[in-house]
Amino acid sequence: MLWGTGCRHRQPPITPLRPIPAGEPTPPVAPPPPPPSLPPPDIPPPVPVPTVLKTAGQGWIPVEVWAAEVGLGMPVTSGDGTNTVFLLPHLESELALPLGRQQARWRQAEFWLGFPIRRVGGVPCIHAEDANRTVWPLLTDDGQPLAGTNRVIVLDPGHGGANPGAVSEAAGLKEKNLTLDWALRAKRLLEAKGWEVHLTRTNDTDCTLAQRVATADRHGAGLFLSLHFNDSSNPGNRSGIETYCLTPNGLPSSITRGFADDTSESCPNHAFDDLNLRLAMRVHKALVRRTGSPDRGVRRARFMGVLRTQQRPAVLIEGGYLSDRHDAGLIASGEYRQKLAEALEEALGSPP
Ligand SMILES: [Zn+2]
C-alpha cells in the first residue's frame, strides 16, 4: 500500500462540557495520558569532552607546563628508560604520551604524533604543532556528526581493473576484489541507517585517483573513505589495521614511501585537518574494536593522491596485511569483511 492512501489521523469527537454549578466541588481532573513512547533516537549520547585549550606556545613545550596551560591533569610517569610513558588523566580517560616514540594513545586507540616526545635539557617536552594539531582535535571530539558534513558518503574500493593492488599468491587473493566486497557490505549497512552512499567503482574496472576524487565532487559528498588492504615487503612482521589522513602543514608524515615530505606544501584537503583526524580516529577505533586486530594507529601521510585534493574530510583505511599469513586468512573470510563494514557503520552512526 502506498503511503498517504487510507492512512489518516481522525480527530476524536468533542464532548460538550457540562457547566459546573457554583458551590459544587470541582471534579478531579484526570492527568493527561502519557505521550506515546517513541523509540530512542539513534544518536549516540554525547561524549564528555575535556575542556582542552590550544597552547599559545611554540616549538618544544615542557609536558607539565603544557598540561597546566591547556587544562589537562598533571602527567604521571609510567615505566622507565625506553618504555617511559607520560599519562595525563582527564575525565574518564587518559592521554598516554610515550617518550621517544610517535605512538600515543587516547581512549584505547593509537594515534601517531608528528614529533616523538623528547627531553630538552632533561625535561620531557611536546611539540606545539602536535599539541594543537594532533592532540587537541582528538581530545575535543564530542562524537557528534562532524561539523559541516552532510548525509552523502563516497566509499572508494581501492585499485581495480588492471591494478590488482596487493596480492596474496598463496591465498589467491587480490586486494581489488576484497576492497570492493568491503565497500558493498558497508554501503548496504550505511544506507539502512539513512546515509546516501556512492562507490567510486561498483565492479572490477580501472579508476584513476582523479576519477575517484571527481566522484566525491560530483555527488557533493560530505565524507570520503578509501578502502585498502596492506602489503609489506617484510612478510610476517606486520599485521593489523592502519588508518591514514593527510598530514597538516608544519608536521612530518608518519610515512613517506620515498616521496618528498614538504611540510609547507598546501593542499585543498588541509582545510579539513581537524575533521580528517577525528574521522580517522573514529573509524580506526571501531575497526580495531570490532575485529580485535592489532592496532597500528592513526597515521598521517602527504603523498596519498586520493586524499590531497578532497574538499571534505577524507581518510584511507588499510584493513589488514595481505602479506601476513594470519591477516590474509582473516581478510579472505566474509565474516571478517562484514566486521570491517560494521565498524564503518558503528563509527559513522546516523547521518546529520
Ligand atoms: Zn591499496
Side-chain angles (χ1 to χ4, degrees):
M1 185 172 72
L2 292 173
W3 290 107
T5 57
C7 179
R8 221 169 255 180
H9 292 288
R10 280 203 207 118
Q11 201 69 25
I14 296 168
T15 311
L17 293 173
R18 179 175 67 88
I20 299 171
E24 189 178 321
T26 311
V29 177
S37 62
L38 296 171
D42 194 12
I43 297 173
V47 178
V49 178
T51 309
V52 178
L53 307 174
K54 289 193 172 182
T55 178
Q58 295 198 333
W60 292 98
I61 309 167
V63 173
E64 251 189 60
V65 172
W66 167 69
E69 179 194 3
V70 303
L72 286 165
M74 277 295 100
V76 175
T77 306
S78 161
D80 53 18
T82 54
N83 293 319
T84 302
V85 179
F86 304 102
L87 303 172
L88 292 91
H90 207 87
L91 297 181
E92 87 297 0
S93 194
E94 67 185 5
L95 172 67
L97 301 173
L99 181 68
R101 286 180 288 128
Q102 287 167 291
Q103 295 95 321
R105 295 185 72 81
W106 171 243
R107 290 202 167 120
Q108 295 84 47
E110 181 178 300
F111 66 95
W112 280 44
L113 299 167
F115 302 98
I117 301 294
R118 61 181 276 198
R119 291 191 193 275
V120 178
V123 178
C125 292
I126 184 170
H127 199 284
E129 293 289 346
D130 269 321
N132 287 341
R133 316 189 76 179
T134 310
V135 175
W136 183 85
L138 296 180
L139 267 58
T140 54
D141 185 1
D142 62 3
Q144 297 301 299
L146 295 172
T149 57
N150 57 29
R151 57 186 287 274
V152 184
I153 295 179
V154 164
L155 297 177
D156 173 39
H159 313 279
N163 175 1
V167 174
S168 169
E169 301 284 359
L173 300 173
K174 289 180 180 168
E175 182 184 356
K176 64 176 183 176
N177 299 328
L178 300 160
T179 56
L180 179 57
D181 179 79
W182 177 8
L184 289 168
R185 288 170 187 267
K187 181 177 194 285
R188 281 192 289 275
L189 294 173
L190 289 166
E191 283 177 342
K193 282 246 171 162
W195 291 96
E196 180 185 324
V197 183
H198 302 277
L199 268 54
T200 53
R201 65 180 177 92
T202 54
N203 52 33
D204 185 16
T205 185
D206 288 292
C207 193
T208 66
L209 297 182
Q211 285 170 333
R212 294 169 198 260
V213 178
T215 299
D217 288 339
R218 192 167 64 251
H219 292 293
L223 299 172
F224 181 93
L225 289 87
S226 190
L227 310 183
H228 291 255
F229 292 100
N230 221 331
D231 191 11
S232 163
S233 54
N234 217 358
N237 284 350
R238 291 185 194 163
S239 68
I241 295 174
E242 298 163 14
T243 305
Y244 288 89
C245 59
L246 184 68
T247 316
N249 284 352
L251 284 165
S253 292
S254 320
I255 179 175
T256 59
R257 288 210 181 130
F259 288 83
D261 195 42
D262 180 354
T263 60
S264 64
E265 183 190 20
S266 267
C267 304
N269 189 243
H270 277 139
F272 304 92
D273 281 342
D274 290 349
L275 300 179
N276 287 336
L277 189 61
R278 286 178 181 159
L279 177 62
M281 193 65 161
R282 289 181 189 191
V283 297
H284 183 75
K285 192 175 160 184
L287 286 160
V288 170
R289 199 182 68 77
R290 284 259 174 179
T291 60
S293 289
D295 179 354
R296 290 182 51 84
V298 168
R299 305 171 181 215
R300 283 152 155 175
R302 255 187 198 90
F303 66 88
M304 292 175 171
V306 81
L307 301 182
R308 292 159 58 90
T309 55
Q310 294 283 355
Q311 304 274 6
R312 57 198 59 79
V315 298
L316 185 147
I317 304 161
E318 300 277 7
Y321 273 82
L322 275 174
S323 48
D324 177 78
R325 184 188 291 233
H326 177 70
D327 273 14
L330 289 174
I331 295 164
S333 78
E335 190 187 344
Y336 180 83
R337 298 195 300 275
Q338 186 67 18
K339 284 183 188 169
L340 293 177
E342 288 167 358
L344 299 187
E345 178 200 19
E346 175 187 321
L348 297 169
S350 296

